[in-house]
């Protein structure tokens, strides 16, 4: 029983960063009906820059690089699509192309070595469960970010404009809402959140050039558990994915431990509301 409690706690803390990645996945989907598969690449790029530079300057440069990359994706997407006439396949392929480019860029510039920082040598002890203080920092940072985003989405004109653009983009445009600008801002916001997640990942589990797509999968899987129509619920979905990973690593053989979270996501996709919409678009 003690072992199970340890896995549950560690898994939930691990899933905090997945929840942070899930937010932009859901937000972009409900706003534009598309997904950005380069989110994991933004996070790894931020982790690589933070690993190299370090310090407060490293944080600024890391998140700034992720925002810059997402800005490029946003500009391309706005060039290819317009409200009322969106080809989701083109949008997804565009983000996939940039993700591939970023992975090659990270490999070329930063190499194949794992990137990880362990700033703490002492641990918190909760009933004989040893937890790194970094996990507590990750949780606090994510909760602050999500609280700010909740206020922005629910209590500000920008949030109301974003919700209107998601429900009826053509009607919102006819009422003077700059829908394309709202969509572009959603891409940029995704880069900001992915960059923050990348910095946190560097100080917890670490990353390398090949983990970009894996992080995208975890973010997407976290977002779909409670339905992609609610970005804030993606945070709770991230906790679930983290727990599944921790339990799989603790109780299953090596090969199954890697596959179990992916199987879990597949089951959720098969049973949930996502199987009721088109594979390349639509809103739940």
């Amino acid at each position: 029983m003690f072992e199970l409690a340890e896995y549950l706690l560690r898994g939930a803390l691990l899933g905090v960063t997945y929840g942070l990645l899930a937010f932009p996945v859901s937000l972009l989907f409900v706003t534009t009906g598309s997904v950005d598969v380069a989110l994991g690449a933004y996070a790894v790029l931020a982790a690589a820059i933070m690993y190299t530079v370090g310090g407060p300057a490293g944080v600024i440069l890391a998140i700034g690089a992720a925002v810059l990359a997402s800005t490029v994706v946003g500009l391309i997407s706005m060039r290819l699509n317009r409200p009322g006439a969106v080809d989701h396949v083109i949008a997804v392929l565009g983000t996939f192309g940039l993700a591939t480019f970023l992975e090659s860029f990270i490999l070329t510039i930063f190499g194949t070595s794992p990137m990880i920082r362990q700033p703490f040598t002492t641990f918190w002890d909760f009933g004989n469960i040893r937890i790194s203080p970094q996990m507590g920092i990750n949780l606090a940072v994510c909760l602050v970010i999500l609280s700010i985003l909740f206020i922005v989405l629910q209590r500000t004109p920008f949030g109301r404009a974003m919700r209107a653009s998601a429900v009826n983009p053509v009607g919102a445009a006819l009422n003077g809402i700059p829908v394309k600008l709202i969509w572009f801002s959603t891409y940029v916001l995704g880069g900001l959140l992915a960059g923050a997640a990348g910095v946190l990942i560097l100080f917890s589990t670490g990353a390398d050039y090949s983990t970009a797509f894996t992080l995208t999968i975890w973010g997407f899987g976290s977002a779909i558990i409670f339905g992609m129509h609610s970005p804030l619920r993606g945070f709770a979905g991230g906790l679930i994915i983290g727990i599944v990973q921790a339990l799989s690593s603790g109780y299953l053989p090596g090969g199954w431990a890697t596959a179990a979270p992916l199987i879990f996501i597949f089951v959720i996709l098969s049973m949930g509301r996502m199987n009721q919409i088109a594979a390349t678009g639509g809103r739940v």
Side-chain angles (χ1 to χ4, degrees), residues 84-278:
V86 179
D87 188 331
H88 299 289
V89 174
I90 293 178
V92 172
L93 289 178
T95 63
F96 180 77
L98 183 64
T100 303
F101 169 79
L102 287 176
E103 183 174 320
S104 300
F105 175 80
I106 295 168
L107 173 62
T108 302
I109 301 300
F110 300 99
T112 60
S113 301
M115 298 171 288
I116 186 170
R117 298 288 188 192
Q118 298 290 350
F120 296 99
T121 57
T122 58
F123 295 84
W124 293 334
D125 195 334
F126 296 97
N128 294 324
I129 299 177
R130 299 176 73 245
I131 299 296
S132 171
Q134 183 61 45
M135 293 299 186
I137 293 174
N138 289 1
L139 177 60
V141 170
C142 289
L143 290 178
V144 169
I145 291 175
L146 293 177
S147 298
I148 293 173
L149 290 173
F150 177 81
I151 294 173
V152 170
L153 292 178
Q154 299 295 327
R155 308 295 183 187
T156 65
F158 175 79
R160 290 190 288 271
M162 181 174 287
R163 296 198 301 275
S165 300
V167 173
N168 187 350
V170 176
L174 292 175
N175 282 278
I177 295 176
V179 176
K180 293 190 71 172
L181 180 60
I182 294 294
W183 286 10
F184 173 74
S185 301
T186 306
Y187 279 96
V188 175
L189 181 59
L192 175 66
L193 297 176
V199 173
L200 298 179
I201 289 170
L202 174 68
F203 291 103
S204 50
T205 59
D208 60 50
Y209 80 96
S210 65
T211 57
F213 186 69
T214 301
L215 290 175
T216 299
I217 291 295
W218 297 148
F220 179 78
S222 302
I224 66 174
I225 289 180
F226 296 109
M228 293 182 69
H229 60 289
S230 177
L232 291 173
R233 294 181 186 176
F235 183 74
L239 303 184
I240 300 297
I241 293 295
I243 290 172
V244 171
Q245 276 194 302
L247 293 176
S248 302
S249 300
Y251 292 111
L252 296 178
W256 283 105
T258 302
L262 297 176
I263 295 174
F264 177 77
I265 293 173
F266 176 77
V267 171
I268 295 296
L269 276 171
S270 301
M271 299 176 60
R273 297 176 62 192
M274 284 295 294
N275 66 338
Q276 302 174 14
I277 62 177

Side-chain angles (χ1 to χ4, degrees), residues 36 38-53 56-74 98-99 101-103 105-106 109-110 187-199:
D36 185 354
L39 281 171
Y42 305 154
V44 175
L45 177 63
I49 293 176
M50 183 64 195
Y51 179 79
T52 303
V53 179
V59 175
I60 295 173
L61 291 175
I63 297 178
V67 170
L68 178 62
S70 64
T71 299
V72 172
V73 170
L98 183 64
F101 169 79
L102 287 176
E103 183 174 320
F105 175 80
I106 295 168
I109 301 300
F110 300 99
Y187 279 96
V188 175
L189 181 59
L192 175 66
L193 297 176
V199 173

